[in-house]
Amino acid sequence: MLFSTKPATIPDAASALPGRSAAIPTAAEHFVFHRQLQDETPAGFEVAIFGLGCFWGAERKFWQQDGVWMTAAGYAGGPTPNPTYEEVCSGRTGHTEVVRVVFDPSKVTYGELVKLFLESHDPTQGMRQGGDVGTQYRSAIYTTSDAQEDTAHQMVEAYQGALARSGHSAGITTEIKPIDKFYYAEDYHQQYLAKNPAGYCGIGGTGVSCPIGLSV
């Protein structure tokens, strides 16, 4: 545990850590795909950004998905520029741990990725995911287009109904908003579970299937 006491709310720009003007160092190459981690997005491909708890296990969910061309672990959702992992863990940057996903929409739709996101964690837990507690573990979808935002809202609403029908009384707390800025996490976080197959994962869903996705 890096910090014994963490804020339970997201700080505003005035109270957040100042960060830095330069990006922190990260990996050059994707450990699984063997492509440059920060390659330009290929023509016709899309970018999706999801936060579903500790990004180690979350990233693996997406690099194993057919049609995904690139994944990266990082930070998003808060005001602190170019944060470090230790700063994010303090709860004073406002960021949550996220996975940046570059995908080919002719092979996997955005709706299918949202379905994977919803079924891979518990989106009702607020500022935590299981035993991982803090603002950096909150559920989030950061969109890169109006179409993505519409799809995300529709599917979260449908999943809320599916949870209720399955006996889950808690409401979904997933944050949905356009992406402001994505910051790459440090080298050792990138594709962590490919480098450390027995490492901590922490990702687990509710066991409830998302009723839509393939046609969205």
Side-chain angles (χ1 to χ4, degrees):
M1 179 71 74
L2 291 171
F3 296 86
S4 58
T5 302
K6 297 182 181 182
T9 58
I10 301 170
D12 59 21
S15 58
L17 293 175
R20 55 202 47 79
S21 59
I24 63 172
T26 190
E29 183 178 273
H30 194 283
F31 189 79
V32 176
F33 294 146
H34 303 295
R35 304 183 181 108
Q36 292 300 297
L37 190 71
Q38 299 186 55
D39 264 356
E40 291 187 8
T41 302
F45 285 29
E46 293 185 33
V47 175
I49 297 173
F50 301 105
L52 53 156
C54 176
F55 47 24
W56 293 347
E59 186 182 11
R60 181 171 62 182
K61 287 285 186 180
F62 289 101
W63 84 55
Q64 292 176 336
Q65 170 66 52
D66 290 342
V68 168
W69 186 83
M70 180 63 68
T71 61
Y75 315 113
T80 297
N82 300 297
T84 66
Y85 178 65
E86 288 75 14
E87 290 170 343
V88 172
C89 286
S90 77
R92 297 179 59 205
T93 69
H95 293 296
T96 189
E97 296 184 20
V98 297
V99 180
R100 182 180 187 268
V101 182
V102 181
F103 65 100
D104 181 350
S106 71
K107 296 180 179 178
V108 60
T109 67
Y110 182 69
E112 288 175 299
L113 295 180
V114 176
K115 179 179 173 70
L116 176 62
F117 160 82
L118 289 169
E119 294 177 353
S120 296
H121 75 305
D122 183 345
T124 71
Q125 294 196 342
M127 300 300 180
R128 66 182 300 160
Q129 199 57 212
D132 293 330
V133 179
T135 55
Q136 90 249 35
Y137 299 117
R138 70 185 185 273
S139 177
I141 301 174
Y142 298 123
T143 58
T144 60
S145 68
D146 290 344
Q148 283 192 3
E149 188 166 5
D150 289 344
T151 296
H153 279 291
Q154 291 171 21
M155 294 187 66
V156 166
E157 182 179 357
Y159 196 56
Q160 182 68 78
L163 289 174
R165 290 190 295 274
S166 299
H168 294 260
S169 59
I172 290 177
T173 59
T174 301
E175 177 182 21
I176 303 173
K177 66 180 183 180
I179 184 67
D180 178 19
K181 181 71 175 179
F182 169 85
Y183 299 101
Y184 286 89
E186 293 85 344
D187 186 345
Y188 72 98
H189 290 302
Q190 304 299 337
Q191 300 82 62
Y192 179 86
L193 289 180
K195 302 170 186 173
N196 303 276
Y200 172 75
C201 176
I203 295 297
T206 62
V208 178
S209 296
C210 183
I212 61 173
L214 301 182
S215 62
V216 173

